[in-house]
């Protein structure tokens, strides 16, 4: 989950969340494979629930959306995280209060502009996240995730988030 400092430079800014964003993970292009409305909504719900859980500090709820062996490119860490033990190690280093350990703490997360495609038992979700802080400028993350269907629910098997600049 994000815990990134704001970036001073201003690269091109993606669109901000609007009502014109594709609802419930619908594909925006006719050539995209897309998926059923139920699958698209279920995949997108993984992320919206995970971000809500992150803000409330509910690690078990976050972990319920992750394959225990998931690989993660975390925006605050240069190395690829291999499974839950690596993720827990990074989590232990995150600040728990504004300014503690020199890092900002998130005040809100807004996920938007999702593009979801489902390929049988696999799905790919691409989206933006605006990270708001209590007393610092917002940051923008772009995310790409691969999910697999397991026992009727979607689990993230790979997540790549990188910071794109200030929001």
């Amino acid at each position: 989950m994000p815990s990134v400092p704001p970036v001073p430079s201003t690269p091109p800014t993606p669109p901000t969340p609007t009502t014109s964003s594709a609802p419930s993970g619908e594909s925006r292009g006719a050539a995209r494979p897309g998926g059923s409305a139920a699958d698209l909504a279920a995949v997108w719900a993984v992320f919206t629930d995970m971000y809500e859980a992150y803000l409330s500090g509910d690690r078990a709820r976050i972990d319920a959306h992750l394959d225990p062996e998931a690989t993660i490119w975390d925006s605050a860490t240069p190395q690829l995280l291999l499974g839950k033990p690596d993720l827990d190690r990074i989590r232990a280093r995150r600040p728990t209060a504004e300014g503690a350990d020199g890092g900002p703490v998130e005040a809100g997360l807004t996920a938007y502009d999702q593009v979801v495609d489902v390929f049988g038992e696999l799905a790919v979700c691409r989206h933006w996240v605006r990270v708001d802080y209590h007393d610092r400028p917002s940051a923008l993350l772009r995310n790409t995730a691969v999910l697999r269907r397991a026992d009727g629910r979607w689990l993230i098997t790979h997540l790549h988030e990188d910071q794109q600049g200030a929001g």
Side-chain angles (χ1 to χ4, degrees):
M1 297 289 82
S3 182
V4 296
V7 172
S9 63
T10 307
T13 303
T16 56
T18 66
T19 56
S20 65
S21 294
S24 303
E26 292 177 13
S27 288
R28 293 185 287 177
R32 304 224 53 87
S36 72
D39 278 343
L40 298 175
V43 168
W44 187 236
V46 167
F47 296 94
T48 57
D49 187 61
M50 191 169 63
Y51 295 140
E52 288 173 13
Y54 179 76
L55 289 172
S56 68
D58 189 344
R59 188 176 286 181
R61 198 165 118 209
I62 295 167
D63 291 348
H65 294 297
L66 299 172
D67 182 303
E69 300 301 319
T71 55
I72 300 172
W73 288 110
D74 185 85
S75 60
T77 307
Q79 73 271 16
L80 180 65
L81 305 180
L82 302 171
K84 190 169 178 321
D86 273 0
L87 178 59
D88 286 341
R89 181 179 44 78
I90 296 305
R91 287 169 163 168
R93 296 191 330 219
R94 290 194 176 129
T96 57
E98 193 75 27
D101 303 326
V105 174
E106 298 85 356
L109 301 173
T110 304
Y112 60 98
D113 273 358
Q114 68 274 17
V115 175
V116 178
D117 292 306
V118 177
F119 306 91
E121 302 303 300
L122 295 175
V124 180
C125 179
R126 289 79 79 192
H127 63 279
W128 288 96
V129 178
R130 188 185 69 234
V131 183
D132 297 313
Y133 299 99
H134 291 286
D135 65 353
R136 298 174 190 218
S138 298
L140 289 173
L141 302 176
R142 110 183 130 175
N143 285 313
T144 301
V146 178
L147 301 89
R148 69 177 177 85
R149 193 184 334 247
D151 299 322
R153 60 192 191 99
W154 291 99
L155 292 175
I156 298 169
T157 61
H158 176 72
L159 178 64
H160 185 144
E161 65 179 20
D162 61 40
Q163 186 167 348
Q164 292 297 300

